[in-house]
Amino acid sequence: MSPTPLSLTYLVQPSKTQNSKAPAIFMFHGYGSNEEDLFSFAPELPEEFTIFSVRAPYSLEPFGYAWYSINFDAEYGKWSDDEQAIESREKILIFIEEAIETYQLDANNITLLGFSQGTILSYSVALSYPEKVKNVVALSGYINEKIILEGYETKSLKHLSFYASHGQVDQVIPLEWAQKTPEFLKKLGVSCKYEEFPVGHGVSPQNFYSFKTWLEEHL
């Protein structure tokens, strides 16, 4: 059965324990991937959650999708389209609100789970709209302050919980960018569990089981 059409393309795994007001996880893939990537985690995650894996809105040739453009310039190096990222931040917010209404989810128990570019957007959504989010699982990404809503630091953020992890030999996003996360969140009074694993730009089995346990503890 196809999922109900919403503003973004997605896959969904309904909660196995609740018909309505279920907690939910929203998954956001990395640059050049699609909604099927992280959805492979879904069968192994706590069965209480309704799980959505969302496709980014911008197409990449020849295949794959992105939340925003990343340009590789010989003179200026690699740079990100922050305006496009902010547009995606708003698209994600709208999608979450649509899903909560359509699937009768528990609006007070929303988890964002991102990888790489999807993590960067998850940080942005959670810190811009903390009233909409409870937990964030941030895999192989970093916080880009330029795409967080202005004045976020004055908002009530203390209820948020973050799990962040990174590969120690990540050649895509430098480890030191991710290592700034715990201190950044601590200054905001936000709880964060941060871990590193001896891998590149990916999620090791140990990393998966660690964040799965964290999710079970933060249901």
Side-chain angles (χ1 to χ4, degrees), residues 39-149:
F39 200 60
S40 60
F41 291 153
E44 302 298 321
L45 294 178
E47 60 184 10
E48 291 89 346
F49 288 105
T50 292
I51 299 173
F52 299 84
S53 190
V54 189
R55 179 193 294 175
Y58 300 105
S59 299
L60 292 176
E61 297 297 334
F63 55 86
Y65 299 87
W67 298 101
Y68 54 88
S69 297
I70 299 174
N71 297 286
F72 301 90
D73 187 285
E75 184 178 352
Y76 297 105
K78 189 170 79 170
W79 61 275
S80 300
D81 189 331
D82 287 342
E83 285 187 20
Q84 226 174 33
I86 289 169
E87 288 174 16
S88 282
R89 183 192 75 199
E90 298 304 303
K91 289 175 188 285
I92 287 171
L93 182 70
I94 290 167
F95 178 84
I96 290 171
E97 290 173 342
E98 291 172 344
I100 287 170
E101 185 175 348
T102 302
Y103 288 89
Q104 295 294 293
L105 305 172
D106 181 353
N108 296 314
N109 198 344
I110 300 298
T111 296
L112 310 182
L113 188 158
F115 176 78
S116 194
Q117 199 180 69
T119 284
I120 297 165
L121 263 295
S122 295
Y123 280 133
S124 176
V125 171
L127 295 173
S128 297
Y129 303 104
E131 70 279 5
K132 303 286 186 181
V133 178
K134 180 184 175 189
N135 301 316
V136 177
V137 175
L139 309 172
S140 303
Y142 66 96
I143 295 171
N144 179 0
E145 282 188 84
K146 295 176 184 175
I147 64 170
I148 305 173
L149 201 62

Side-chain angles (χ1 to χ4, degrees), residues 41 43-47 49 113 137 163 205-218:
F41 291 153
E44 302 298 321
L45 294 178
E47 60 184 10
F49 288 105
L113 188 158
V137 175
Y163 172 94
Q206 294 90 340
N207 191 176
F208 173 78
Y209 287 113
S210 185
F211 82 70
K212 177 184 175 183
T213 300
W214 185 90
L215 278 170
E216 290 166 350
E217 293 167 353
H218 289 77

Side-chain angles (χ1 to χ4, degrees), residues 157-179:
L157 302 166
K158 289 181 170 58
H159 70 283
L160 290 170
S161 294
F162 287 80
Y163 172 94
S165 63
H166 213 80
Q168 291 169 328
V169 287
D170 192 322
Q171 295 175 314
V172 177
I173 294 177
L175 177 61
E176 53 267 29
W177 292 10
Q179 288 174 331

Side-chain angles (χ1 to χ4, degrees), residues 183-197:
E183 186 61 29
F184 182 95
L185 294 174
K186 184 181 177 183
K187 286 180 180 176
L188 297 171
V190 176
S191 164
C192 177
K193 178 176 182 177
Y194 175 79
E195 294 186 309
E196 295 175 3
F197 295 90

Side-chain angles (χ1 to χ4, degrees), residues 25-45:
I25 296 174
F26 291 84
M27 297 174 159
F28 306 105
H29 63 76
Y31 181 84
S33 189
N34 61 42
E35 69 278 15
E36 294 181 3
D37 185 9
L38 296 176
F39 200 60
S40 60
F41 291 153
E44 302 298 321
L45 294 178

